[in-house]
Amino acid sequence: MKVKKQKRHRKTVRFFSVCFGFRQPFKVLCDGTFVHHLLVNNITPADTALSNCLCAPIKLFTTRCILAELKTLGASYSHSFQAANKLTTARCDHEKRKGADACILDVIGQNNPEHFFVATQHVDLRNKLQEVPGVPLIFALRNALFLEPPSSFQRQFVKASEEKRLHMTEKDHKLLERKTRGLLENEDVAQSNDVEGLESLDPGLQVHNTRKHSTGKELGVKDRVQFKRKKAKGPNPLSCKKKRSHEKPNPSSVKESKGDNIVRRSRRRKRPRRDKSIAGADKDSK
């Protein structure tokens, strides 16, 4: 079951990172109920537990309104207030103090510009945030953490945004029409200038409109696909053996002088060999 849960969580994280631009380290906005549940069920340290849930590094955040609400709950939530006070405080721009749910909804806004993961145990708050695009939700059951899959509203929002990207808007269509008109006008002006220049050189010359009567051959476009026939190639010269010369080499080396073009032959002087017996007698006489 743990492997299946990790696969579901990775799939959900990939959905939000690809479709809504979430980047690591992920920001997790925790409310008081979630912090209290972690302490009661001994899910500590919270950052390692959440990083294991999301399979990525994280940063924990809270708000001033959440801290103020925990402080008013009394001594039973004193440990939760101390733990939440150690988290990074996210900026909430409201003059008067609000409730935790209203503060989180105000920070998230209409499209979650800060890319927060919201960790809460409030079911009503989770149902409200499911109708906001780009808000992943985290909740806890006993000693286990769960990442909710994207809602049907979020999936439909992603599908509609992809279809908008594929189709051209009216503004883009008008810009394209203006550019095409300008290009056509420039081509007409250039063609008229060429015609006037030819008529000035030869007034009896008839000029045809090549734009209307242009064919595929003139543009260099072939009507049918032409296949190249493979020609017979010779053998690879590296794989062939070298031819052996059957002529006998001359024992005498021939030297040619380049300046006089005269062939000179070097002759070796043949000396008579003495017999071994005569050579031994000469050594004994010495």
Side-chain angles (χ1 to χ4, degrees):
M1 292 298 290
K2 288 184 178 180
V3 176
K4 290 183 179 180
K5 188 174 82 169
Q6 280 186 352
K7 285 183 178 179
R8 288 199 304 269
H9 289 179
R10 285 177 182 173
K11 190 176 180 180
T12 305
V13 170
R14 196 182 303 113
F15 173 82
F16 284 103
S17 60
V18 170
C19 299
F20 296 100
F22 281 73
R23 295 291 178 267
Q24 298 181 10
F26 297 128
K27 301 177 183 178
V28 181
L29 184 62
C30 305
D31 69 342
T33 58
F34 186 77
V35 175
H36 184 69
H37 185 89
L38 293 179
L39 292 175
V40 169
N41 291 276
N42 199 17
I43 306 174
T44 53
D47 52 355
T48 55
L50 284 166
S51 63
N52 291 334
C53 177
L54 299 179
C55 303
I58 60 156
K59 288 183 179 180
L60 298 176
F61 289 85
T62 188
T63 61
R64 290 178 298 172
C65 300
I66 294 170
L67 292 173
E69 188 181 59
L70 283 172
K71 193 174 182 179
T72 56
L73 290 175
S76 58
Y77 284 84
S78 60
H79 295 290
S80 302
F81 171 72
Q82 292 175 2
N85 201 14
K86 295 178 183 179
L87 305 180
T88 307
T89 304
R91 185 179 178 182
C92 52
D93 297 328
H94 26 259
E95 298 177 357
K96 297 181 180 180
R97 185 172 63 84
K98 294 183 178 181
D101 296 355
C103 179
I104 289 172
L105 289 172
D106 193 10
V107 170
I108 294 300
Q110 295 182 355
N111 55 358
N112 192 10
E114 294 294 328
H115 299 98
F116 279 119
F117 283 75
V118 179
T120 180
Q121 295 297 107
H122 279 292
V123 180
D124 296 335
L125 179 61
R126 293 208 303 268
N127 292 334
K128 290 178 182 178
L129 290 175
Q130 282 179 353
E131 298 178 358
V132 180
V135 184
L137 302 171
I138 301 172
F139 66 97
L141 287 176
R142 294 184 181 179
N143 60 349
L145 299 176
F146 293 91
L147 177 64
E148 283 192 7
S151 61
S152 58
F153 173 79
Q154 292 171 347
R155 292 184 183 277
Q156 289 177 0
F157 178 83
V158 170
K159 192 175 181 180
S161 62
E162 286 179 355
E163 288 179 355
K164 285 181 181 179
R165 290 174 191 171
L166 293 173
H167 297 291
M168 191 182 294
T169 59
E170 293 181 359
K171 188 176 181 180
D172 296 335
H173 190 66
K174 289 179 180 179
L175 287 172
L176 184 62
E177 284 183 350
R178 288 177 186 175
K179 288 182 179 180
T180 50
R181 285 175 187 172
L183 290 171
L184 292 173
E185 288 176 358
N186 292 332
E187 287 180 1
D188 292 336
V189 170
Q191 192 173 2
S192 63
N193 292 333
D194 294 339
V195 170
E196 289 176 0
L198 290 170
E199 287 179 352
S200 62
L201 293 172
D202 192 357
L205 185 65
Q206 294 182 358
V207 182
H208 298 281
N209 191 359
T210 56
R211 187 179 171 186
K212 292 182 180 179
H213 303 286
S214 62
T215 58
K217 293 181 180 178
E218 293 176 359
L219 295 174
V221 180
K222 297 179 181 179
D223 296 334
R224 295 180 181 177
V225 181
Q226 293 182 358
F227 297 98
K228 292 183 178 180
R229 293 183 179 179
K230 293 183 178 180
K231 297 180 181 179
K233 296 180 180 180
N236 188 2
L238 299 175
S239 63
C240 298
K241 290 184 178 181
K242 294 181 180 180
K243 293 181 179 180
R244 294 181 180 179
S245 59
H246 298 285
E247 296 178 358
K248 295 181 180 180
N250 291 327
S252 60
S253 61
V254 180
K255 295 182 180 179
E256 297 180 357
S257 61
K258 296 181 180 179
D260 301 330
N261 294 327
I262 299 169
V263 179
R264 294 180 181 178
R265 294 182 180 178
S266 61
R267 295 180 180 178
R268 291 183 182 179
R269 185 179 179 184
K270 295 182 180 181
R271 293 181 180 179
R273 293 183 180 180
R274 294 181 180 181
D275 296 334
K276 292 182 181 181
S277 59
I278 299 170
D282 290 340
K283 288 180 181 180
D284 294 335
S285 63
K286 290 179 181 179

